[in-house]
Amino acid sequence: MQISKVQPFSLVIAALCCVVLSIIGYIKIGLPPVIVVGGSAILALFLWYFTYLKRPVEPAVILPLFVFTVAGLQIHIIEEYLSGFGPAMSRLFNIPWSERSFLMVFALVGPTIYTLTTLGLYKKLPLSGFVACFIFIGPGVAEFTHFIFPLISPHFEPDNIHSITRTIAGIQINAMPNYYYKTTGKYYFAGMYTAILPMIPGIYAICCLIREALKKSKSDNGIVV
């Protein structure tokens, strides 16, 4: 299989995106979200490199999975917004994640990227494959963290069941809810009910990417499958 000239360039851009976005996220929000998002980006980079980058998957295979994952993600984000995910994370980890920044990233910038990615996957553009891999792993597999958060004692007033307002890193975060299981008596965290919606197509998409890569690899080596 020949390596096209655009592949090394795409690899550099994707790697830079992982580094730059992690740095910006750390500066603007803090370390805990970067561990999840940055870790997902690195895993996505490896998945993309060994699958889509070398052997782009047909749109008929990857596009429906991407659309279903994004649709599940958007429904999930609605629950996160209604239950105060950003402020809840702020109370949990002492990070400045306001509702405004949450909406800006997940409700405005995110859908714009997803729309362009859909077109890119249709055209088999390498970087679109990276974004898709990130969505499959980040909002896909990594959503399991919602089931861990209720077990973590919040940084601010873990025994206070009421929402509180605090200034964190110079930013006022209003109405930070407390979802600590030992305080509320309920096993729930913002967005937990719908977290599985992007997970199902996301995990299935990862399996399909690996399967398609192995199939094409065997075909390139002259092995009949």
Side-chain angles (χ1 to χ4, degrees):
M1 182 194 68
Q2 291 184 338
I3 303 296
S4 66
K5 294 181 179 180
V6 75
Q7 287 176 339
F9 175 76
S10 299
L11 183 60
V12 171
I13 295 298
L16 285 175
C17 285
C18 292
V19 174
V20 172
L21 291 178
S22 295
I23 293 174
I24 293 176
Y26 176 75
I27 294 174
K28 294 292 185 179
I29 301 177
L31 182 60
V34 171
I35 293 176
V36 176
V37 177
S40 297
I42 293 173
L43 291 175
L45 187 67
F46 280 97
L47 175 65
W48 171 66
Y49 177 79
F50 289 106
T51 58
Y52 195 95
L53 178 62
K54 294 184 175 182
R55 300 172 180 85
V57 178
E58 291 299 321
V61 175
I62 194 171
L63 259 180
L65 295 172
F66 180 75
V67 171
F68 278 126
T69 304
V70 169
L73 174 60
Q74 291 306 111
I75 296 172
H76 172 58
I77 288 173
I78 292 173
E79 184 195 352
E80 286 188 328
Y81 171 70
L82 293 176
S83 52
F85 179 78
M89 290 288 284
S90 296
R91 183 170 183 171
L92 192 64
F93 294 114
N94 187 27
I95 56 176
W97 198 349
S98 65
E99 281 192 351
R100 182 177 183 273
S101 61
F102 174 84
L103 288 174
M104 183 64 68
V105 173
F106 292 107
L108 299 175
V109 176
T112 302
I113 295 174
Y114 308 151
T115 303
L116 294 174
T117 300
T118 302
L119 178 60
L121 291 174
Y122 177 74
K123 295 291 187 179
K124 294 185 178 180
L125 300 181
L127 280 176
S128 295
F130 169 69
V131 177
C133 287
F134 173 73
I135 295 300
F136 296 148
I137 291 178
V141 179
E143 292 294 349
F144 81 89
T145 53
H146 283 72
F147 300 93
I148 298 175
F149 292 148
L151 302 174
I152 302 175
S153 178
H155 180 86
F156 296 108
E157 301 183 27
D159 298 326
N160 181 2
I161 197 171
H162 301 291
S163 296
I164 60 175
T165 296
R166 290 287 186 277
T167 298
I168 305 174
I171 301 174
Q172 181 172 302
I173 310 297
N174 299 314
M176 296 187 293
N178 185 3
Y179 290 113
Y180 186 34
Y181 173 71
K182 290 185 178 180
T183 299
T184 65
K186 295 191 302 181
Y187 193 79
Y188 175 78
F189 194 85
M192 194 176 78
Y193 290 151
T194 55
I196 196 171
L197 293 181
M199 288 180 67
I200 295 173
I203 293 172
Y204 182 69
I206 293 171
C207 295
C208 287
L209 282 173
I210 295 174
R211 183 188 64 201
E212 290 293 317
L214 291 174
K215 185 188 299 183
K216 290 185 178 182
S217 177
K218 290 179 180 178
S219 177
D220 290 342
N221 293 326
I223 301 175
V224 179
V225 294

